[in-house]
Amino acid sequence: MKILITTCGVGIGHSSRDLALANYLKKYGHNIEFASYGSGLKYLQKYNFKTYSLPKMNFEGHDGEINIEESIKQSKDIPFTFIKSMYKESRIIKKSKPNVIICDSHYSMPIIAKFLNIPCYIITNDLTFGFSKSTQMKSIKYFEKSIRRFIIEITKSCKKIMIPDIPGVIEIPEELKNKTEFIGPLLHYNANELGTKHEIRQKYNINDEDKILVVTIGGSEFGKIMIKNICDISKSIEADKIIIFTGLEVETSSFDDYDSKVIIYEFTHNLVEWMKLSDLTITLAGHTTSMELLSIKQPNIMMPILNHIEQERNSKRMEKTGITQVVEINNTEKLLEIINDSLKNINTIKINDELYSKFLLYDGKKNALNTIQNNIKQIKQI
Protein backbone atom coordinates (compact mmCIF):
# COMPACT_ATOMS: atom_id res chain seq x y z
CA MET A 1 0.00 0.00 0.00
CA LYS A 2 1.27 3.49 -0.88
CA ILE A 3 1.08 5.91 2.07
CA LEU A 4 1.79 9.65 1.89
CA ILE A 5 2.61 11.28 5.24
CA THR A 6 2.15 15.06 5.37
CA THR A 7 4.04 16.47 8.33
CA CYS A 8 4.03 19.81 10.17
CA GLY A 9 7.55 21.18 9.60
CA VAL A 10 7.79 23.52 12.60
CA GLY A 11 10.61 21.93 14.60
CA ILE A 12 11.41 18.24 14.09
CA GLY A 13 9.17 16.60 16.69
CA HIS A 14 6.40 15.82 14.20
CA SER A 15 8.85 14.55 11.59
CA SER A 16 10.70 12.43 14.14
CA ARG A 17 7.62 10.56 15.32
CA ASP A 18 6.35 10.19 11.73
CA LEU A 19 9.70 8.76 10.69
CA ALA A 20 9.42 6.17 13.47
CA LEU A 21 5.98 5.23 12.15
CA ALA A 22 7.19 5.19 8.52
CA ASN A 23 10.03 2.78 9.30
CA TYR A 24 7.57 0.49 11.06
CA LEU A 25 5.03 0.62 8.22
CA LYS A 26 7.82 -0.09 5.74
CA LYS A 27 8.69 -3.31 7.58
CA TYR A 28 5.16 -4.50 6.84
CA GLY A 29 5.49 -3.92 3.11
CA HIS A 30 4.05 -0.42 2.78
CA ASN A 31 5.64 2.20 0.51
CA ILE A 32 6.03 5.53 2.34
CA GLU A 33 6.56 9.05 1.00
CA PHE A 34 6.65 12.36 2.87
CA ALA A 35 5.62 15.98 2.29
CA SER A 36 6.75 18.74 4.67
CA TYR A 37 8.56 22.09 4.96
CA GLY A 38 11.08 23.92 7.14
CA SER A 39 13.02 21.98 9.79
CA GLY A 40 10.77 18.96 9.38
CA LEU A 41 11.64 18.65 5.69
CA LYS A 42 15.38 19.09 6.38
CA TYR A 43 15.18 16.32 8.96
CA LEU A 44 13.30 13.90 6.70
CA GLN A 45 15.68 14.51 3.79
CA LYS A 46 18.46 12.94 5.87
CA TYR A 47 16.70 9.58 5.59
CA ASN A 48 15.95 7.17 2.77
CA PHE A 49 12.40 8.27 1.90
CA LYS A 50 11.09 10.26 -1.04
CA THR A 51 10.14 13.77 0.11
CA TYR A 52 8.08 16.60 -1.38
CA SER A 53 8.39 20.26 -0.40
CA LEU A 54 5.40 22.28 0.88
CA PRO A 55 5.01 26.06 1.43
CA LYS A 56 6.54 27.10 4.74
CA MET A 57 4.59 28.21 7.82
CA ASN A 58 6.21 29.49 11.02
CA PHE A 59 5.94 31.49 14.26
CA GLU A 60 7.38 34.92 15.06
CA GLY A 61 9.54 35.45 18.14
CA HIS A 62 13.05 35.49 19.60
CA ASP A 63 15.12 34.61 22.68
CA GLY A 64 13.06 31.57 23.59
CA GLU A 65 9.69 33.27 23.31
CA ILE A 66 6.91 33.08 20.75
CA ASN A 67 5.34 36.45 20.05
CA ILE A 68 1.69 35.53 19.51
CA GLU A 69 0.55 39.03 18.62
CA GLU A 70 3.31 39.47 16.02
CA SER A 71 2.65 35.96 14.68
CA ILE A 72 -1.01 36.83 14.16
CA LYS A 73 -0.11 40.16 12.53
CA GLN A 74 2.13 38.29 10.12
CA SER A 75 -0.61 35.73 9.46
CA LYS A 76 -2.33 37.89 6.85
CA ASP A 77 -0.71 35.62 4.27
CA ILE A 78 -1.99 32.42 5.90
CA PRO A 79 -5.10 32.12 3.65
CA PHE A 80 -2.89 32.48 0.57
CA THR A 81 -0.31 30.03 1.98
CA PHE A 82 -3.12 27.59 2.84
CA ILE A 83 -4.51 27.72 -0.70
CA LYS A 84 -1.02 27.55 -2.17
CA SER A 85 -0.33 24.50 -0.02
CA MET A 86 -3.55 22.81 -1.16
CA TYR A 87 -2.59 23.39 -4.80
CA LYS A 88 0.88 21.95 -4.18
CA GLU A 89 -0.59 19.00 -2.30
CA SER A 90 -2.98 18.16 -5.14
CA ARG A 91 0.01 18.03 -7.52
CA ILE A 92 1.94 15.86 -5.05
CA ILE A 93 -0.99 13.44 -4.84
CA LYS A 94 -1.08 13.14 -8.63
CA LYS A 95 2.63 12.22 -8.60
CA SER A 96 2.57 10.00 -5.54
CA LYS A 97 -0.79 8.28 -6.16
CA PRO A 98 -1.20 7.21 -2.49
CA ASN A 99 -3.81 4.73 -1.29
CA VAL A 100 -3.81 6.40 2.14
CA ILE A 101 -2.81 9.83 3.48
CA ILE A 102 -1.62 10.51 7.03
CA CYS A 103 -1.47 14.15 8.18
CA ASP A 104 0.48 15.10 11.27
CA SER A 105 -0.85 18.46 12.54
CA HIS A 106 -1.15 19.64 8.93
CA TYR A 107 -4.72 20.61 8.07
CA SER A 108 -4.88 21.52 4.39
CA MET A 109 -4.23 18.01 3.04
CA PRO A 110 -7.41 16.47 4.59
CA ILE A 111 -9.49 18.82 2.42
CA ILE A 112 -7.76 17.63 -0.75
CA ALA A 113 -8.01 14.01 0.41
CA LYS A 114 -11.76 14.38 0.86
CA PHE A 115 -12.23 15.84 -2.62
CA LEU A 116 -10.15 13.04 -4.15
CA ASN A 117 -11.84 10.35 -2.01
CA ILE A 118 -8.57 9.12 -0.46
CA PRO A 119 -8.73 7.72 3.11
CA CYS A 120 -7.08 10.23 5.41
CA TYR A 121 -5.88 9.94 9.01
CA ILE A 122 -4.71 12.69 11.34
CA ILE A 123 -1.97 12.41 13.96
CA THR A 124 -2.03 15.16 16.57
CA ASN A 125 -1.37 15.69 20.26
CA ASP A 126 -3.28 19.00 20.46
CA LEU A 127 -6.89 19.61 19.48
CA THR A 128 -7.61 22.54 21.80
CA PHE A 129 -4.82 25.04 20.96
CA GLY A 130 -4.93 27.79 23.61
CA PHE A 131 -2.38 30.21 22.12
CA SER A 132 -4.61 33.21 22.94
CA LYS A 133 -3.99 32.72 26.69
CA SER A 134 -0.79 34.77 26.40
CA THR A 135 -2.61 37.89 25.20
CA GLN A 136 -5.62 40.03 26.12
CA MET A 137 -6.34 41.03 22.53
CA LYS A 138 -9.95 40.10 21.76
CA SER A 139 -9.19 39.83 18.06
CA ILE A 140 -6.65 37.05 18.74
CA LYS A 141 -9.06 35.20 21.04
CA TYR A 142 -11.69 35.40 18.29
CA PHE A 143 -9.11 34.23 15.74
CA GLU A 144 -8.30 31.19 17.88
CA LYS A 145 -11.98 30.24 18.21
CA SER A 146 -12.36 30.46 14.45
CA ILE A 147 -9.26 28.34 13.83
CA ARG A 148 -10.42 25.75 16.35
CA ARG A 149 -13.86 25.52 14.74
CA PHE A 150 -12.25 25.21 11.31
CA ILE A 151 -9.90 22.42 12.43
CA ILE A 152 -12.75 20.49 14.05
CA GLU A 153 -14.76 20.61 10.82
CA ILE A 154 -11.75 19.43 8.80
CA THR A 155 -10.97 16.54 11.13
CA LYS A 156 -14.56 15.31 11.04
CA SER A 157 -13.98 14.19 7.44
CA CYS A 158 -11.01 11.97 8.35
CA LYS A 159 -11.21 8.26 9.04
CA LYS A 160 -9.57 8.54 12.44
CA ILE A 161 -7.70 11.00 14.67
CA MET A 162 -4.75 9.16 16.19
CA ILE A 163 -3.35 10.64 19.41
CA PRO A 164 0.31 9.60 19.96
CA ASP A 165 -0.12 9.41 23.73
CA ILE A 166 -1.98 7.57 26.47
CA PRO A 167 -5.61 8.32 27.47
CA GLY A 168 -6.36 11.05 29.96
CA VAL A 169 -3.58 13.52 29.16
CA ILE A 170 -5.08 15.42 26.21
CA GLU A 171 -8.44 17.17 26.04
CA ILE A 172 -10.65 16.02 23.17
CA PRO A 173 -13.47 18.27 21.89
CA GLU A 174 -16.86 16.59 22.33
CA GLU A 175 -17.54 16.66 18.57
CA LEU A 176 -14.42 14.56 17.85
CA LYS A 177 -14.55 11.90 20.57
CA ASN A 178 -16.07 9.27 18.28
CA LYS A 179 -13.26 9.87 15.76
CA THR A 180 -10.41 9.77 18.25
CA GLU A 181 -8.13 6.93 19.29
CA PHE A 182 -5.25 7.11 21.77
CA ILE A 183 -2.69 4.93 20.04
CA GLY A 184 0.29 5.63 22.34
CA PRO A 185 3.64 7.30 21.61
CA LEU A 186 5.39 6.89 18.25
CA LEU A 187 8.94 6.07 19.29
CA HIS A 188 12.02 5.02 17.32
CA TYR A 189 12.91 2.48 20.01
CA ASN A 190 10.89 0.57 22.54
CA ALA A 191 12.40 0.72 26.02
CA ASN A 192 13.68 -2.88 25.83
CA GLU A 193 15.35 -2.36 22.43
CA LEU A 194 17.96 0.13 23.64
CA GLY A 195 21.10 -1.07 25.34
CA THR A 196 21.97 -0.24 28.93
CA LYS A 197 23.54 3.06 29.87
CA HIS A 198 26.88 1.24 30.23
CA GLU A 199 26.58 -0.41 26.79
CA ILE A 200 25.71 2.86 25.05
CA ARG A 201 28.59 4.68 26.76
CA GLN A 202 30.96 1.97 25.54
CA LYS A 203 29.61 2.48 22.00
CA TYR A 204 30.53 6.20 22.12
CA ASN A 205 33.77 5.74 24.12
CA ILE A 206 32.50 7.53 27.23
CA ASN A 207 33.69 6.48 30.67
CA ASP A 208 31.10 5.15 33.12
CA GLU A 209 32.36 7.41 35.91
CA ASP A 210 32.05 10.65 33.88
CA LYS A 211 29.18 13.01 34.74
CA ILE A 212 27.52 13.71 31.39
CA LEU A 213 25.00 16.47 30.62
CA VAL A 214 23.19 16.30 27.25
CA VAL A 215 21.40 19.38 25.87
CA THR A 216 19.06 19.37 22.88
CA ILE A 217 16.73 21.95 21.33
CA GLY A 218 15.30 19.67 18.63
CA GLY A 219 14.68 21.57 15.42
CA SER A 220 13.61 24.91 16.83
CA GLU A 221 15.53 28.19 16.52
CA PHE A 222 13.69 29.29 19.68
CA GLY A 223 16.06 27.16 21.73
CA LYS A 224 19.17 29.09 20.68
CA ILE A 225 19.00 31.28 23.80
CA MET A 226 18.87 28.15 25.96
CA ILE A 227 22.16 26.91 24.51
CA LYS A 228 23.72 30.37 24.88
CA ASN A 229 22.72 30.49 28.55
CA ILE A 230 24.15 27.02 29.21
CA CYS A 231 27.41 28.00 27.50
CA ASP A 232 27.53 31.12 29.71
CA ILE A 233 27.30 29.06 32.91
CA SER A 234 29.27 26.06 31.63
CA LYS A 235 32.33 26.79 33.78
CA SER A 236 30.15 26.48 36.90
CA ILE A 237 28.32 23.30 35.86
CA GLU A 238 29.66 20.33 37.83
CA ALA A 239 29.79 17.91 34.89
CA ASP A 240 32.74 16.30 33.11
CA LYS A 241 31.21 16.81 29.66
CA ILE A 242 28.35 18.95 28.34
CA ILE A 243 27.23 17.58 24.97
CA ILE A 244 24.97 19.97 23.03
CA PHE A 245 22.88 19.28 19.91
CA THR A 246 21.81 22.51 18.20
CA GLY A 247 19.33 21.04 15.70
CA LEU A 248 18.97 21.94 12.03
CA GLU A 249 18.11 25.62 12.36
CA VAL A 250 20.95 26.82 14.62
CA GLU A 251 24.56 26.94 13.43
CA THR A 252 27.15 25.43 15.78
CA SER A 253 29.40 28.39 14.92
CA SER A 254 26.89 30.68 16.69
CA PHE A 255 28.55 29.80 20.00
CA ASP A 256 32.18 30.63 20.71
CA ASP A 257 32.47 31.40 24.44
CA TYR A 258 32.19 28.28 26.58
CA ASP A 259 34.18 25.96 28.80
CA SER A 260 36.44 23.28 27.27
CA LYS A 261 34.15 20.51 28.57
CA VAL A 262 31.41 21.68 26.15
CA ILE A 263 31.07 19.71 22.89
CA ILE A 264 28.64 21.06 20.28
CA TYR A 265 27.09 19.03 17.46
CA GLU A 266 24.41 20.01 14.96
CA PHE A 267 22.62 16.72 14.41
CA THR A 268 22.53 13.07 15.38
CA HIS A 269 20.42 10.18 14.11
CA ASN A 270 20.53 8.62 17.58
CA LEU A 271 19.48 11.34 20.01
CA VAL A 272 17.61 8.89 22.26
CA GLU A 273 20.86 6.97 22.81
CA TRP A 274 22.67 10.18 23.76
CA MET A 275 19.91 11.08 26.20
CA LYS A 276 20.06 7.63 27.77
CA LEU A 277 23.85 7.63 28.16
CA SER A 278 23.70 11.01 29.93
CA ASP A 279 23.20 11.52 33.65
CA LEU A 280 20.89 14.45 33.00
CA THR A 281 19.20 15.81 29.85
CA ILE A 282 18.17 19.44 29.28
CA THR A 283 15.61 20.12 26.59
CA LEU A 284 12.74 22.26 25.41
CA ALA A 285 9.31 20.77 26.11
CA GLY A 286 8.21 19.31 22.79
CA HIS A 287 5.76 16.40 22.89
CA THR A 288 7.95 13.89 21.04
CA THR A 289 10.96 14.63 23.26
CA SER A 290 8.71 14.25 26.31
CA MET A 291 7.60 10.80 25.15
CA GLU A 292 11.20 9.73 24.48
CA LEU A 293 12.41 10.88 27.91
CA LEU A 294 9.50 9.12 29.57
CA SER A 295 10.14 5.89 27.66
CA ILE A 296 13.76 5.67 28.88
CA LYS A 297 12.98 7.06 32.36
CA GLN A 298 15.61 9.76 31.83
CA PRO A 299 16.07 12.46 34.51
CA ASN A 300 15.68 15.80 32.79
CA ILE A 301 15.20 19.54 33.01
CA MET A 302 12.59 21.05 30.69
CA MET A 303 12.54 24.67 29.56
CA PRO A 304 9.32 25.34 27.64
CA ILE A 305 9.33 28.08 25.00
CA LEU A 306 7.56 31.11 26.48
CA ASN A 307 3.97 31.60 25.26
CA HIS A 308 4.04 28.11 23.70
CA ILE A 309 0.93 26.72 25.37
CA GLU A 310 1.45 23.15 24.22
CA GLN A 311 5.01 23.08 25.61
CA GLU A 312 3.79 24.54 28.89
CA ARG A 313 1.21 21.73 29.11
CA ASN A 314 3.85 19.13 28.22
CA SER A 315 6.22 20.33 30.95
CA LYS A 316 3.48 20.35 33.62
CA ARG A 317 2.49 16.83 32.62
CA MET A 318 6.15 15.68 32.75
CA GLU A 319 6.64 17.16 36.23
CA LYS A 320 4.14 14.57 37.51
CA THR A 321 6.37 11.72 36.33
CA GLY A 322 8.99 12.44 39.02
CA ILE A 323 11.91 12.64 36.55
CA THR A 324 11.37 16.21 35.29
CA GLN A 325 12.08 19.64 36.74
CA VAL A 326 10.92 22.78 34.91
CA VAL A 327 12.82 26.06 34.64
CA GLU A 328 12.01 29.26 32.74
CA ILE A 329 14.15 29.46 29.64
CA ASN A 330 15.97 32.68 30.66
CA ASN A 331 16.48 31.95 34.36
CA THR A 332 20.19 30.95 34.28
CA GLU A 333 20.70 31.29 38.03
CA LYS A 334 17.90 28.82 38.80
CA LEU A 335 19.02 26.57 35.95
CA LEU A 336 22.57 26.30 37.29
CA GLU A 337 21.27 25.52 40.77
CA ILE A 338 18.98 22.73 39.53
CA ILE A 339 21.62 21.23 37.20
CA ASN A 340 24.23 20.90 39.93
CA ASP A 341 21.73 19.72 42.52
CA SER A 342 20.33 17.10 40.12
CA LEU A 343 23.78 15.82 39.16
CA LYS A 344 24.71 15.54 42.82
CA ASN A 345 21.53 13.60 43.68
CA ILE A 346 20.93 11.82 40.37
CA ASN A 347 20.47 8.38 41.97
CA THR A 348 17.50 9.62 43.99
CA ILE A 349 15.48 10.72 40.93
CA LYS A 350 12.90 7.99 40.30
CA ILE A 351 9.96 7.73 37.92
CA ASN A 352 6.34 7.34 39.02
CA ASP A 353 5.95 3.56 38.58
CA GLU A 354 2.17 3.61 38.21
CA LEU A 355 2.31 6.19 35.43
CA TYR A 356 5.18 4.39 33.69
CA SER A 357 3.36 1.04 33.77
CA LYS A 358 0.36 2.63 32.07
CA PHE A 359 2.66 4.26 29.50
CA LEU A 360 4.19 0.88 28.57
CA LEU A 361 0.77 -0.58 27.70
CA TYR A 362 0.60 1.43 24.47
CA ASP A 363 2.64 0.75 21.32
CA GLY A 364 1.83 3.66 19.02
CA LYS A 365 3.39 2.23 15.86
CA LYS A 366 1.62 -1.12 16.18
CA ASN A 367 -1.72 0.51 17.03
CA ALA A 368 -1.43 2.96 14.10
CA LEU A 369 -0.70 0.10 11.70
CA ASN A 370 -3.68 -1.90 12.96
CA THR A 371 -6.00 1.11 12.80
CA ILE A 372 -5.08 1.86 9.19
CA GLN A 373 -5.09 -1.74 7.94
CA ASN A 374 -8.38 -2.61 9.66
CA ASN A 375 -10.05 0.45 8.21
CA ILE A 376 -8.79 -0.32 4.70
CA LYS A 377 -10.18 -3.85 4.98
CA GLN A 378 -13.58 -2.41 5.94
CA ILE A 379 -13.50 -0.04 2.94
CA LYS A 380 -12.70 -2.91 0.55
CA GLN A 381 -15.61 -4.96 1.94
CA ILE A 382 -18.16 -2.18 1.32
Side-chain angles (χ1 to χ4, degrees), residues 17-48:
R17 68 190 182 195
D18 295 340
L19 178 67
L21 176 59
N23 284 323
Y24 188 80
L25 294 172
K26 187 178 178 181
K27 285 198 301 186
Y28 287 84
H30 300 296
N31 183 8
I32 313 298
E33 294 182 350
F34 281 99
S36 190
Y37 55 90
S39 299
L41 180 62
K42 288 182 186 178
Y43 175 82
L44 292 167
Q45 287 172 337
K46 291 183 174 289
Y47 296 89
N48 191 29

Short mmCIF file of all heavy atoms in Angstrom, two decimals, residues 17-48:
data_model
loop_
_atom_site.label_atom_id
_atom_site.label_comp_id
_atom_site.label_asym_id
_atom_site.label_seq_id
_atom_site.Cartn_x
_atom_site.Cartn_y
_atom_site.Cartn_z
N ARG A 17 8.56 11.63 15.00
CA ARG A 17 7.62 10.56 15.32
C ARG A 17 7.04 9.93 14.05
O ARG A 17 6.78 8.72 14.01
CB ARG A 17 6.51 11.06 16.24
CG ARG A 17 5.52 12.06 15.65
CD ARG A 17 4.64 12.64 16.74
NE ARG A 17 3.64 13.57 16.24
CZ ARG A 17 2.95 14.40 17.02
NH1 ARG A 17 3.17 14.43 18.32
NH2 ARG A 17 2.05 15.22 16.50
N ASP A 18 6.86 10.73 13.00
CA ASP A 18 6.35 10.19 11.73
C ASP A 18 7.37 9.29 11.06
O ASP A 18 7.02 8.31 10.40
CB ASP A 18 5.95 11.33 10.80
CG ASP A 18 4.78 12.13 11.33
OD1 ASP A 18 4.05 11.60 12.20
OD2 ASP A 18 4.59 13.29 10.91
N LEU A 19 8.65 9.62 11.21
CA LEU A 19 9.70 8.76 10.69
C LEU A 19 9.69 7.41 11.40
O LEU A 19 9.87 6.36 10.76
CB LEU A 19 11.06 9.44 10.85
CG LEU A 19 12.27 8.64 10.37
CD1 LEU A 19 12.24 8.47 8.85
CD2 LEU A 19 13.58 9.30 10.79
N ALA A 20 9.51 7.43 12.72
CA ALA A 20 9.42 6.17 13.47
C ALA A 20 8.28 5.32 12.94
O ALA A 20 8.42 4.10 12.75
CB ALA A 20 9.24 6.47 14.96
N LEU A 21 7.13 5.95 12.69
CA LEU A 21 5.98 5.23 12.15
C LEU A 21 6.26 4.73 10.74
O LEU A 21 5.96 3.58 10.40
CB LEU A 21 4.75 6.15 12.14
CG LEU A 21 3.48 5.57 11.50
CD1 LEU A 21 3.04 4.29 12.21
CD2 LEU A 21 2.35 6.60 11.51
N ALA A 22 6.90 5.57 9.91
CA ALA A 22 7.19 5.19 8.52
C ALA A 22 8.10 3.96 8.46
O ALA A 22 7.86 3.04 7.65
CB ALA A 22 7.85 6.37 7.80
N ASN A 23 9.13 3.93 9.29
CA ASN A 23 10.03 2.78 9.30
C ASN A 23 9.30 1.51 9.71
O ASN A 23 9.58 0.42 9.19
CB ASN A 23 11.20 3.04 10.25
CG ASN A 23 12.23 3.99 9.66
OD1 ASN A 23 12.51 3.96 8.46
ND2 ASN A 23 12.80 4.84 10.49
N TYR A 24 8.36 1.64 10.62
CA TYR A 24 7.57 0.49 11.06
C TYR A 24 6.62 0.02 9.96
O TYR A 24 6.53 -1.18 9.67
CB TYR A 24 6.78 0.87 12.32
CG TYR A 24 6.08 -0.28 12.99
CD1 TYR A 24 6.78 -1.15 13.82
CD2 TYR A 24 4.71 -0.50 12.81
CE1 TYR A 24 6.14 -2.21 14.47
CE2 TYR A 24 4.06 -1.56 13.44
CZ TYR A 24 4.79 -2.40 14.27
OH TYR A 24 4.14 -3.45 14.89
N LEU A 25 5.94 0.96 9.32
CA LEU A 25 5.03 0.62 8.22
C LEU A 25 5.79 -0.04 7.07
O LEU A 25 5.29 -0.96 6.41
CB LEU A 25 4.31 1.86 7.73
CG LEU A 25 3.34 2.54 8.70
CD1 LEU A 25 2.85 3.87 8.14
CD2 LEU A 25 2.16 1.63 9.03
N LYS A 26 6.99 0.45 6.82
CA LYS A 26 7.82 -0.09 5.74
C LYS A 26 8.15 -1.56 5.98
O LYS A 26 8.19 -2.37 5.04
CB LYS A 26 9.10 0.74 5.63
CG LYS A 26 9.99 0.38 4.44
CD LYS A 26 11.20 1.29 4.39
CE LYS A 26 12.13 0.91 3.24
NZ LYS A 26 13.33 1.79 3.19
N LYS A 27 8.38 -1.92 7.24
CA LYS A 27 8.69 -3.31 7.58
C LYS A 27 7.54 -4.25 7.22
O LYS A 27 7.75 -5.44 7.01
CB LYS A 27 9.01 -3.43 9.07
CG LYS A 27 10.37 -2.91 9.47
CD LYS A 27 10.81 -3.43 10.83
CE LYS A 27 9.86 -3.05 11.93
NZ LYS A 27 10.39 -3.46 13.28
N TYR A 28 6.33 -3.70 7.17
CA TYR A 28 5.16 -4.50 6.84
C TYR A 28 4.75 -4.36 5.37
O TYR A 28 3.61 -4.62 5.00
CB TYR A 28 4.00 -4.16 7.78
CG TYR A 28 4.22 -4.71 9.17
CD1 TYR A 28 4.98 -4.01 10.11
CD2 TYR A 28 3.71 -5.96 9.53
CE1 TYR A 28 5.21 -4.54 11.37
CE2 TYR A 28 3.93 -6.48 10.80
CZ TYR A 28 4.69 -5.77 11.71
OH TYR A 28 4.92 -6.29 12.97
N GLY A 29 5.69 -3.92 4.55
CA GLY A 29 5.49 -3.92 3.11
C GLY A 29 4.87 -2.69 2.51
O GLY A 29 4.58 -2.66 1.31
N HIS A 30 4.67 -1.64 3.30
CA HIS A 30 4.05 -0.42 2.78
C HIS A 30 5.11 0.53 2.22
O HIS A 30 6.22 0.62 2.76
CB HIS A 30 3.23 0.27 3.87
CG HIS A 30 2.13 -0.59 4.41
ND1 HIS A 30 1.07 -1.02 3.64
CD2 HIS A 30 1.92 -1.13 5.64
CE1 HIS A 30 0.26 -1.76 4.37
NE2 HIS A 30 0.76 -1.86 5.59
N ASN A 31 4.75 1.23 1.17
CA ASN A 31 5.64 2.20 0.51
C ASN A 31 5.31 3.59 1.03
O ASN A 31 4.19 4.07 0.86
CB ASN A 31 5.45 2.12 -1.00
CG ASN A 31 6.38 3.04 -1.76
OD1 ASN A 31 7.28 3.64 -1.18
ND2 ASN A 31 6.17 3.16 -3.06
N ILE A 32 6.29 4.26 1.66
CA ILE A 32 6.03 5.53 2.34
C ILE A 32 6.72 6.69 1.64
O ILE A 32 7.90 6.60 1.27
CB ILE A 32 6.52 5.48 3.81
CG1 ILE A 32 6.09 4.19 4.50
CG2 ILE A 32 6.03 6.72 4.56
CD1 ILE A 32 4.61 3.99 4.61
N GLU A 33 5.99 7.80 1.47
CA GLU A 33 6.56 9.05 1.00
C GLU A 33 6.13 10.17 1.94
O GLU A 33 5.11 10.05 2.64
CB GLU A 33 6.12 9.35 -0.44
CG GLU A 33 6.67 8.34 -1.44
CD GLU A 33 6.28 8.63 -2.88
OE1 GLU A 33 5.43 9.53 -3.10
OE2 GLU A 33 6.82 7.97 -3.77
N PHE A 34 6.91 11.26 1.95
CA PHE A 34 6.65 12.36 2.87
C PHE A 34 6.46 13.68 2.12
O PHE A 34 7.03 13.89 1.04
CB PHE A 34 7.84 12.56 3.83
CG PHE A 34 7.88 11.60 4.98
CD1 PHE A 34 8.71 10.48 4.93
CD2 PHE A 34 7.11 11.80 6.11
CE1 PHE A 34 8.77 9.60 6.01
CE2 PHE A 34 7.15 10.93 7.18
CZ PHE A 34 7.98 9.82 7.13
N ALA A 35 5.69 14.58 2.73
CA ALA A 35 5.62 15.98 2.29
C ALA A 35 5.71 16.85 3.53
O ALA A 35 5.01 16.61 4.52
CB ALA A 35 4.32 16.25 1.54
N SER A 36 6.60 17.87 3.51
CA SER A 36 6.75 18.74 4.67
C SER A 36 7.45 20.03 4.23
O SER A 36 7.58 20.31 3.04
CB SER A 36 7.55 18.03 5.78
OG SER A 36 7.51 18.79 6.99
N TYR A 37 7.91 20.80 5.21
CA TYR A 37 8.56 22.09 4.96
C TYR A 37 9.48 22.40 6.14
O TYR A 37 9.47 21.70 7.16
CB TYR A 37 7.52 23.20 4.78
CG TYR A 37 6.56 23.33 5.94
CD1 TYR A 37 6.84 24.16 7.03
CD2 TYR A 37 5.38 22.59 5.96
CE1 TYR A 37 5.96 24.26 8.10
CE2 TYR A 37 4.50 22.68 7.04
CZ TYR A 37 4.80 23.51 8.10
OH TYR A 37 3.93 23.60 9.17
N GLY A 38 10.28 23.43 6.03
CA GLY A 38 11.08 23.92 7.14
C GLY A 38 12.00 22.87 7.75
O GLY A 38 12.57 22.01 7.05
N SER A 39 12.14 22.91 9.07
CA SER A 39 13.02 21.98 9.79
C SER A 39 12.59 20.53 9.59
O SER A 39 13.42 19.63 9.48
CB SER A 39 13.00 22.29 11.29
OG SER A 39 13.46 23.58 11.55
N GLY A 40 11.28 20.32 9.56
CA GLY A 40 10.77 18.96 9.38
C GLY A 40 11.23 18.35 8.08
O GLY A 40 11.64 17.18 8.02
N LEU A 41 11.19 19.14 7.00
CA LEU A 41 11.64 18.65 5.69
C LEU A 41 13.14 18.37 5.71
O LEU A 41 13.59 17.34 5.20
CB LEU A 41 11.29 19.67 4.61
CG LEU A 41 11.70 19.29 3.18
CD1 LEU A 41 10.98 18.03 2.73
CD2 LEU A 41 11.41 20.43 2.21
N LYS A 42 13.92 19.29 6.29
CA LYS A 42 15.38 19.09 6.38
C LYS A 42 15.71 17.79 7.11
O LYS A 42 16.61 17.05 6.72
CB LYS A 42 16.03 20.27 7.12
CG LYS A 42 16.08 21.56 6.33
CD LYS A 42 16.78 22.63 7.16
CE LYS A 42 16.73 23.99 6.48
NZ LYS A 42 17.38 25.02 7.31
N TYR A 43 14.97 17.53 8.18
CA TYR A 43 15.18 16.32 8.96
C TYR A 43 14.87 15.08 8.13
O TYR A 43 15.67 14.13 8.06
CB TYR A 43 14.30 16.37 10.20
CG TYR A 43 14.31 15.13 11.06
CD1 TYR A 43 15.33 14.91 11.99
CD2 TYR A 43 13.29 14.18 10.95
CE1 TYR A 43 15.33 13.77 12.79
CE2 TYR A 43 13.29 13.04 11.75
CZ TYR A 43 14.31 12.84 12.66
OH TYR A 43 14.31 11.71 13.44
N LEU A 44 13.72 15.07 7.47
CA LEU A 44 13.30 13.90 6.70
C LEU A 44 14.21 13.63 5.52
O LEU A 44 14.41 12.47 5.12
CB LEU A 44 11.86 14.10 6.22
CG LEU A 44 10.79 14.09 7.31
CD1 LEU A 44 9.46 14.61 6.79
CD2 LEU A 44 10.63 12.70 7.91
N GLN A 45 14.79 14.68 4.95
CA GLN A 45 15.68 14.51 3.79
C GLN A 45 16.98 13.80 4.15
O GLN A 45 17.73 13.41 3.26
CB GLN A 45 15.97 15.87 3.16
CG GLN A 45 14.77 16.43 2.39
CD GLN A 45 14.97 17.85 1.91
OE1 GLN A 45 15.78 18.60 2.48
NE2 GLN A 45 14.25 18.24 0.88
N LYS A 46 17.26 13.66 5.43
CA LYS A 46 18.46 12.94 5.87
C LYS A 46 18.23 11.43 5.89
O LYS A 46 19.14 10.66 6.24
CB LYS A 46 18.91 13.43 7.26
CG LYS A 46 19.46 14.86 7.24
CD LYS A 46 19.95 15.28 8.61
CE LYS A 46 20.63 16.65 8.56
NZ LYS A 46 21.93 16.61 7.89
N TYR A 47 17.02 10.99 5.55
CA TYR A 47 16.70 9.58 5.59
C TYR A 47 16.27 9.10 4.20
O TYR A 47 16.05 9.88 3.28
CB TYR A 47 15.60 9.32 6.62
CG TYR A 47 16.06 9.65 8.03
CD1 TYR A 47 15.92 10.93 8.55
CD2 TYR A 47 16.69 8.69 8.82
CE1 TYR A 47 16.37 11.24 9.83
CE2 TYR A 47 17.13 8.99 10.10
CZ TYR A 47 16.98 10.26 10.59
OH TYR A 47 17.43 10.58 11.85
N ASN A 48 16.14 7.78 4.08
CA ASN A 48 15.95 7.17 2.77
C ASN A 48 14.47 7.05 2.39
O ASN A 48 13.95 5.97 2.15
CB ASN A 48 16.60 5.78 2.75
CG ASN A 48 16.68 5.20 1.36
OD1 ASN A 48 16.75 5.93 0.37
ND2 ASN A 48 16.65 3.87 1.27
#
